[in-house]
Structure formats: structure tokens, C-alpha cells
Amino acid sequence: MGSEGPALLEPLWQGLTAIDPAAVSGSVSCALPARFEAVKGARQFTGSTLRQWNIPELLDEVALVVSELVTNALRHALPGPAATAGEPERPVRLHLMRGPSRLVCAVRDPSDVGPVAGEAGCGEESGRGLHLVESFTDGWGWQPLPGTPHGKIVWAVFHLPPT
């Protein structure tokens, strides 16, 4: 788990033109293994980061959104075990970026297929997560990654409380 500069996330910034990458005061990321246990690690990483950045009041909402985005990436964006035999692992990566007035959570995965908020009915699980993301954030979206590696970044924005 380490830091990466805003330049790595250029496709994300293109999707969020109101955020100036030069204004990012904190940027961290971590690679997540292609296992559902990674969701717990992503929540812990998020909690530790938000406490370090002194914004623990956002922890519940941000941790919920991170859980949903990571779960979606693991469930829908990774190939099955047979498809990955002999190929290097292409993990999901969680990015957290803090600017002067916003926090951005972004999850990068190897799929080129964009997320779709489903119309989950009674007893249906699929599609509910993105409705939660929409409910708890100040906006979300996704951007394809140009070039190699292929994939996308799904992001969610939170306005920071006034200091």
C-alpha cells in the first residue's frame, strides 16, 4: 500500500474537470488482491487514511461506498480463474485523493465494461450497490483507461465538511 501521484490518475481528472490535480493535498492508493476478502482491507485502508487526513466524520459513508465499488470490481470486472491461468494477476486498485473541498474515491479494474445501476427488484442483489453509491456521494461516474493496461476507473466524490 503506497502513494501514487495524481499524474497516474489523469483519466480520472479528465472526467472531473472541476478538480485541479495540482490542488490535491493527499493521494494514496493500494493494490487489492482478486479475492472478496479484499473488501475488508479496502475499508481498513480507507478508515486509516481518513483518520490520518483528519476527516473521520466521513468514514461511514466513504467506507460504504468503497465497499460497494471494490465489490463491484471484484464481482464484475475480473475474469474467472480459468481465464487467468498463466496470466499475471491484474489486481483491483483503490485510490483516495483529497483536495481542498472534496474527497475522491476511485477503484481501477481491468474491465473495459462500464458499471450500470440496475433496477434491482425484490430479492435481486445486482444493481443495488450503485444506487447506494449515488445516495451517499455528491456524484460518481467512470472513465475508461486509455492504452495499456486496459480497464476503467470508477470514482465517487464527497464534499468535505467545512473546517
Side-chain angles (χ1 to χ4, degrees):
M1 297 187 193
S3 296
E4 293 185 355
L8 175 70
L9 300 175
E10 192 60 36
L12 174 63
W13 300 125
Q14 291 171 5
L16 295 171
T17 55
I19 296 177
D20 177 6
V24 172
S25 60
S27 176
V28 295
S29 73
C30 68
L32 300 169
R35 297 186 309 270
F36 284 104
E37 296 83 25
V39 175
K40 179 179 179 183
R43 288 176 67 93
Q44 291 171 338
F45 179 77
T46 299
S48 172
T49 300
L50 294 186
R51 284 188 289 277
Q52 183 179 8
W53 287 346
N54 200 27
I55 47 175
E57 60 274 18
L58 290 179
L59 182 56
D60 291 340
E61 293 86 359
V62 175
L64 173 69
V65 168
V66 163
S67 294
E68 293 298 335
L69 295 181
V70 170
T71 298
N72 283 349
L74 294 170
R75 181 174 289 149
H76 301 292
L78 297 177
T84 59
E87 292 181 21
E89 184 177 350
R90 294 168 62 182
V92 170
R93 183 168 281 277
L94 168 64
H95 302 273
L96 300 171
M97 293 144 292
R98 180 182 180 172
S101 62
R102 296 184 212 176
L103 172 73
V104 177
C105 303
V107 175
R108 186 176 76 194
D109 68 54
S111 172
D112 294 324
V113 179
V116 177
E119 295 187 23
C122 183
E124 293 179 38
E125 290 294 323
S126 184
R128 291 184 184 167
L130 290 176
H131 289 297
L132 288 173
V133 169
E134 190 168 317
S135 296
F136 284 95
T137 65
D138 294 300
W140 75 276
W142 72 281
Q143 291 291 121
L145 289 173
T148 303
H150 292 284
K152 68 180 172 297
I153 296 176
V154 182
W155 50 263
V157 177
F158 297 84
H159 290 293
L160 295 175
T163 54

